[in-house]
Amino acid sequence: MRNILIVHPCAQIFNIPCIVNLINKLGKTRSRVFFPIIKNNFFDESKESISNKIELSEFPFIQKSRTESLLVWFFGYLIFCIFTARKDRPEIIVAMGSKGLIVGTFLSYFYGAKLCFYSLEFPACPPRNFKDRIHFFLERSFCKNVDILFIHDDNRLKLYENIVSRVFEDFIIFPNAPVETLADDVCVFEVRKAYGIPKNNKVILYSGGLYSDIGLEKICEDVESLDKSWVLFLQSHDGVVQLRANKKIAQLEEQGRVIINLRPLSTNHYSALLQICSVGIAYYSAKDPNMFNVGLSSGKIAAYWKNGMPVIVNDLPVIQEIFNEFSCGVISDSLNSISDAVAIIDKSRDQFIEGAFAAYKKHFSLKNIEFYLEEMFLKKTRID
């Protein structure tokens, strides 16, 4: 048995399900796993999703802003990791995201440990400003020391190899599947009651930032052209004020045709919301390579499919290929109008539900890769 130190110098943990899933999977290996976490007043998140096999320790400094300062995420967290592992020297460092890679590289040198890295997002390429240039230089330099790369899918692997100019021989594909939760009838009832969703309503869900280039104003207005049983639910914390400034959308919200929620939902209540909804909307900007090539890093699409929800999405690599395999949604070149896509799904609803479940099972279900993950990890790190 060897010691594994998880490095994730960010307060956001539980809204990034692949991090929670990987941590829990590592806890099932023949290893002792330590995870120093950062608390943040902005994120009031439960630790119930983390397995009790993981030894948690809380960084004593509480960050009050949405993002961590350099003093906190690098200097403070680095010292705290060294303090946490002072008695149990780690043989393996598992770094989450680019900040984790920077801190994890220093820790791997300090302990002489093997370095594993989970690539969550691509660095900006080409860099847009001085900060991006520093970030790009550090990630490109430090990833050369990575022993095992975790990444969401094969397409992202190839793109990342081009960005950092390195071919990874040892890698593990680990998609961004939802954290396993069980939303009972009580949770479903609470969500319906809180947002006034009758059982006879069919709900279209958009979960994510309400950004101007998505065209959500027109999507909201398009709801009027649908049967009155259809309701649009917008779950977000960004852009709500601007959206409600639209008089037409404000009117639709008063009528109950559009529901806007800016409060974060607990894991169980979000799972309950997904069970209530019939169709999901996902949009990823073609201007951003990281977003356009989201593929199996899309926790949003994974959550939709896990609950049997067909998705309306713009044309994206990997997702397009999955659509060729399964009837799991409709590709819409323009999200300005969703009525046609909703009509297509509603006409063959059972077929699309079956396709959504099948797509999730093949491409996102961690049960299909758990044995491979454990064996591969143990073999590559030579755990006795």
Side-chain angles (χ1 to χ4, degrees), residues 68-249:
E68 295 74 25
S69 66
L70 179 65
L71 180 65
V72 171
W73 75 258
F74 181 71
F75 295 104
Y77 186 78
L78 176 63
I79 294 171
F80 183 64
C81 285
I82 294 173
F83 176 81
T84 300
R86 67 191 185 283
K87 294 181 180 179
D88 302 285
R89 188 182 185 92
E91 290 86 10
I92 304 160
I93 305 291
V94 179
M96 306 291 188
S98 57
K99 291 181 180 178
L101 175 62
I102 294 170
V103 176
T105 298
F106 283 92
L107 289 170
S108 68
Y109 281 133
F110 185 83
Y111 289 112
K114 290 190 175 182
L115 179 62
C116 304
F117 170 49
Y118 197 170
S119 171
L120 302 177
E121 293 185 345
F122 299 147
C125 184
R128 293 162 295 198
N129 50 46
F130 179 74
K131 183 180 178 181
D132 284 347
R133 285 196 292 271
I134 295 295
H135 186 163
F136 179 76
F137 172 78
L138 290 175
E139 182 158 345
R140 189 172 181 177
S141 300
F142 289 171
C143 76
K144 298 184 187 302
N145 303 311
V146 171
D147 295 290
I148 299 176
L149 177 72
F150 291 91
I151 199 160
H152 297 114
D153 60 49
D154 289 314
N155 180 56
R156 291 181 71 84
L157 171 64
K158 294 175 183 177
L159 292 169
Y160 188 69
E161 288 179 333
N162 289 333
I163 291 172
V164 299
S165 301
R166 178 191 166 178
V167 175
F168 291 89
E169 294 182 3
D170 298 329
F171 62 88
I172 296 175
I173 301 298
F174 199 93
N176 191 15
V179 175
E180 289 296 329
T181 56
L182 181 62
D184 56 20
D185 292 340
V186 174
C187 282
V188 173
F189 174 78
E190 289 173 346
V191 171
R192 285 194 181 276
K193 182 178 179 181
Y195 301 106
I197 307 174
K199 287 187 177 181
N200 60 340
N201 274 152
K202 293 180 284 187
V203 183
I204 305 164
L205 174 64
Y206 175 85
S207 177
L210 306 181
Y211 307 118
S212 58
D213 62 337
I214 298 175
L216 281 170
E217 291 87 351
K218 293 184 179 180
I219 291 177
C220 290
E221 294 172 6
D222 199 40
V223 170
E224 274 197 311
S225 65
L226 296 170
D227 184 276
K228 289 186 178 181
S229 61
W230 286 98
V231 173
L232 177 63
F233 194 111
L234 304 178
Q235 170 66 34
S236 181
H237 56 266
D238 293 319
V240 174
V241 175
Q242 296 90 322
L243 203 62
R244 282 182 168 149
N246 184 303
K247 293 182 180 180
K248 184 64 177 179
I249 294 175

Side-chain angles (χ1 to χ4, degrees), residues 257-353:
R257 299 298 307 276
V258 173
I259 301 170
I260 302 175
N261 178 48
L262 54 82
R263 292 176 297 176
L265 296 175
S266 68
T267 304
N268 287 341
H269 284 115
Y270 183 63
S271 180
L273 176 63
L274 292 169
Q275 290 182 30
I276 292 170
C277 296
S278 302
V279 177
I281 297 175
Y283 174 86
Y284 294 94
S285 175
K287 299 176 182 178
D288 183 346
N290 188 64
M291 292 290 99
F292 183 65
N293 294 284
V294 63
L296 301 188
S297 72
S298 175
K300 183 188 307 182
I301 293 177
Y304 291 165
W305 285 345
K306 183 178 185 293
N307 288 272
M309 289 171 57
V311 61
I312 301 171
V313 64
N314 52 319
D315 196 355
L316 304 169
V318 179
I319 302 301
Q320 168 67 68
E321 296 174 10
I322 297 175
F323 274 43
N324 292 336
E325 293 181 82
F326 305 104
S327 296
C328 50
V330 175
I331 291 178
S332 177
D333 293 331
S334 172
L335 293 182
N336 290 338
S337 174
I338 60 169
S339 54
D340 291 342
V342 170
I344 292 171
I345 291 171
D346 203 31
K347 185 177 180 180
S348 306
R349 176 146 185 77
D350 291 340
Q351 179 183 349
F352 278 100
I353 292 174

Side-chain angles (χ1 to χ4, degrees), residues 14 44-50:
F14 304 100
D44 182 19
E45 298 171 307
S46 169
K47 302 183 188 69
E48 294 178 358
S49 300
I50 298 290

